[in-house]
Amino acid sequence: MESSKWQKEKEKREKASLERHARLSRLFKKDRLAFERKRKAMIDEFIDSVKDADQRSRLRTFQTSWDKKMRGAGSSHNRFVLAQTFFWEHFHGVWNPAIQKYSVILNGKPDDQNP
């Protein structure tokens, strides 16, 4: 019973997300400046919704840093390459070490497959 309700809610969330994406995509193609204003408003709305003031401050700092880095990219392709680079640096520098740490805790031995 509960999984059926969850599935229906999931489908509604997916539909709403796809509709929002389609609206933003049309706006991006039609009016880039309006799209950027909407994007900034959505980010601000999310950050403002965070209850913890310290977390809100960290998110603002991170967003400011991200925007500054992306402005210096020069082209959409360069922004994509930068975003990929930041992701993989974070993956290898933060996520993977944490995964390895917890793998050792859970399994009692280091995973030799992933240096």
Side-chain angles (χ1 to χ4, degrees), residues 49-86:
S49 74
V50 174
K51 292 182 180 11
D52 181 25
D54 290 336
Q55 179 71 12
R56 243 189 345 266
S57 176
R58 287 191 301 275
L59 288 170
R60 285 261 177 244
T61 301
F62 179 77
Q63 187 62 45
T64 300
S65 171
W66 178 267
D67 289 341
K68 183 178 178 185
K69 290 172 185 172
M70 290 296 118
R71 266 194 307 273
S75 72
S76 59
H77 177 73
N78 287 351
R79 282 189 292 279
F80 177 72
V81 170
L82 275 175
Q84 278 186 313
T85 301
F86 299 148

Side-chain angles (χ1 to χ4, degrees), residues 94-110:
V94 179
W95 289 0
N96 195 36
I99 291 168
Q100 296 303 315
K101 174 184 169 186
Y102 290 110
S103 176
V104 169
I105 291 169
L106 294 171
N107 300 320
K109 60 182 178 196

